[in-house]
Amino acid sequence: MNRENSSLLSVRDLVVRYRTGKHRGAELTAVRNVSLEIEAGNIFALVGESGSGKSSLAQTILRPRTAESGSVLFHGEDLANISKSGMKKARKNIQIVFQDPLASLSPRRTVLQTLTEPLNHFRIGAAADRESRAIAMLETVGLTAEDGNRYPHALSGGQRQRVALARALVVEPELIIADEPLSSLDVRVQAKILDLISDLRDKLSVAFLFVSHDLSVVRQLADTVAVMYLGRIVECAPAGEVFSRPAHPYTRSLLNAVAAPDPRRPAPVVLKGEPPSPLTPPTGCVFHKRCTEMIEPCSSVVPEEIELGEPDGYPPKSKGAINANHRVRCLLWRTPNA
Ligand SMILES: Nc1ncnc2c1ncn2[C@@H]1O[C@H](COP(=O)(O)OP(=O)(O)O)[C@@H](O)[C@H]1O
Ligand code: SF4
Ligand SMILES: [Mg+2]
């Protein structure tokens, strides 16, 4: 096998477009030149307001041929050019958990049938052992063997999301794509599921691409955070960096929207208005119409992605050294001589 790098998943320069509007005559770019790397066993959080392209990106990972351009590599293998058996293996190793477990679980299958179905499909383990394997997984996610006999409608929202996680985990995947898995749950249940995901990652060493519109939700969970705005990743860094030294005004405004004022933090940035339509993106920096820190070139110059780290970049608002692996798209962060 040709392994190009050590990442579990690499997304390179991915572009996702839709034909939309009257007679599908308009073209909308939902994901624009996105690159990211997910390491084995890590939790990679993808955060941004509704409409920023998170689901389009997440869903294209398992159907890369629908992308306009770019590539998705799993263990260094390009999923758009993989053999049929290679794709089947990737589908086992990359599982998806959706926002609404009720919609994603079959109402006519008991919980146990829901869990044994993928074991049968991928022929995992001996047929006689599959039921006990499924029950063991139910217990791992905090459910009981008796819950296995129930149907989805008889479970609470939190229990259903546990079943959805168990169904994804039972085939022992390497990566779970969880697209807003908490947004149909109330806050108390959200906290429990977050704890569960954190435990499972440690226990089963599975990586997550965890999609959320709420930056505060991923604080306790993520190893890496990518912030998406109008189809672009505008900031990507180890989670500690994003929360202690957010470099992009959009990230700062998302944090300010949820955090109590902290005198050690840069001045609050208030997020105004709604994101623009990706059908008519603003010129220059696509965030400029909502950015309270914009400078003169922002309405005409498209910010390149730069890697922060001394001596590159000059920190206009943050204090302290900036780590490598902290990438940002903002004209405030041009190198001093650029
Ligand atoms: N199938 C589709 N056809 C046309 N436009 C779509 C389709 N799916 C998503 N979009 C548009 O693409 C943009 C990104 O949507 P989406 O990926 O769902 O964002 P998010 O998950 O961040 O809310 C939005 O403007 C949305 O309206
Ligand atoms: S490039 Fe300009 S408008 Fe865009 S985020 Fe940076 S300061 Fe704001
Ligand atoms: Mg979405």
Side-chain angles (χ1 to χ4, degrees):
M1 190 201 312
N2 176 23
R3 287 174 192 255
E4 288 188 27
N5 64 17
S6 63
S7 291
L8 181 64
L9 184 86
S10 302
V11 172
R12 301 217 178 132
D13 235 4
L14 195 73
V15 177
V16 178
R17 288 211 175 102
Y18 301 111
R19 306 290 308 178
T20 181
K22 207 173 177 190
H23 312 302
R24 302 171 68 76
E27 198 170 63
L28 179 156
T29 305
V31 175
R32 190 176 287 260
N33 303 99
V34 162
S35 297
L36 57 86
E37 304 279 330
I38 302 181
E39 307 299 329
N42 274 16
I43 297 190
F44 187 105
L46 182 65
V47 178
E49 286 164 288
S50 176
S52 53
K54 306 179 299 295
S55 295
S56 299
L57 168 55
Q59 286 162 14
T60 305
I61 289 171
L62 270 176
R63 38 170 215 240
R65 288 190 184 137
T66 63
E68 182 79 13
S69 59
S71 54
V72 177
L73 311 182
F74 189 61
H75 285 299
E77 275 202 291
D78 186 340
L79 292 183
N81 298 315
I82 202 169
S83 65
K84 223 171 156 188
S85 66
M87 194 62 201
K88 187 168 181 192
K89 202 165 153 206
R91 282 188 188 281
K92 176 204 116 36
N93 280 321
I94 307 175
Q95 292 289 312
I96 301 196
V97 173
F98 294 100
Q99 176 173 347
D100 179 1
L102 196 54
S104 68
L105 299 174
S106 165
R108 283 181 293 277
R109 285 200 183 127
T110 64
V111 168
L112 202 55
Q113 287 167 340
T114 294
L115 263 64
T116 48
E117 190 274 333
L119 292 174
N120 293 332
H121 177 76
F122 292 114
R123 299 191 184 171
I124 295 172
D129 297 338
R130 288 179 191 148
E131 208 165 286
S132 50
R133 202 184 256 254
I135 290 171
M137 184 49 70
L138 279 181
E139 287 164 355
T140 302
V141 300
L143 296 171
T144 62
E146 291 75 56
D147 292 325
N149 299 320
R150 300 166 76 190
Y151 287 88
H153 68 264
L155 302 171
S156 68
Q159 287 172 324
R160 283 197 283 264
Q161 204 50 293
R162 283 171 197 263
V163 174
L165 273 168
R167 180 181 56 180
L169 285 161
V170 77
V171 298
E172 298 183 358
E174 294 176 275
L175 173 68
I176 292 187
I177 299 172
D179 191 356
E180 307 240 20
L182 307 178
S183 39
S184 66
L185 306 173
D186 71 45
V187 175
R188 192 181 49 84
V189 183
Q190 280 188 12
K192 287 193 173 165
I193 301 285
L194 276 175
D195 286 344
L196 172 66
I197 291 176
S198 205
D199 278 1
L200 293 171
R201 187 263 303 262
D202 296 342
K203 221 185 269 177
L204 308 173
S205 69
V206 57
F208 278 83
L209 171 60
F210 187 95
V211 175
S212 176
H213 64 272
D214 185 345
L215 195 47
S216 66
V217 157
V218 305
R219 186 186 281 263
Q220 74 176 85
L221 201 66
D223 295 297
T224 305
V225 175
V227 179
M228 210 167 169
Y229 187 79
L230 217 66
R232 293 117 177 116
I233 290 187
V234 296
E235 180 161 11
C236 183
E241 282 279 303
V242 169
F243 288 105
S244 63
R245 285 184 281 270
H248 196 282
Y250 180 56
T251 312
R252 286 202 277 269
S253 57
L254 289 178
L255 280 171
N256 283 325
V258 294
D262 178 346
R264 291 164 303 175
R265 280 251 176 84
V269 183
V270 180
L271 191 54
K272 303 174 290 186
E274 295 291 317
S277 164
L279 277 169
T280 50
T283 54
C285 169
V286 287
F287 186 56
H288 82 261
K289 296 211 161 140
R290 302 171 82 196
C291 182
T292 54
E293 300 181 51
M294 75 172 277
I295 48 179
E296 191 270 326
C298 297
S299 58
S300 54
V301 178
V302 176
E304 296 285 315
E305 181 179 80
I306 67 159
E307 176 117 5
L308 305 182
E310 292 166 326
D312 292 315
Y314 60 100
K317 290 280 186 320
S318 304
K319 288 200 173 69
I322 296 279
N323 260 342
N325 299 324
H326 191 153
R327 297 182 283 138
V328 67
R329 275 180 202 274
C330 169
L331 297 176
L332 294 173
W333 290 86
R334 282 178 297 181
T335 52
N337 300 325

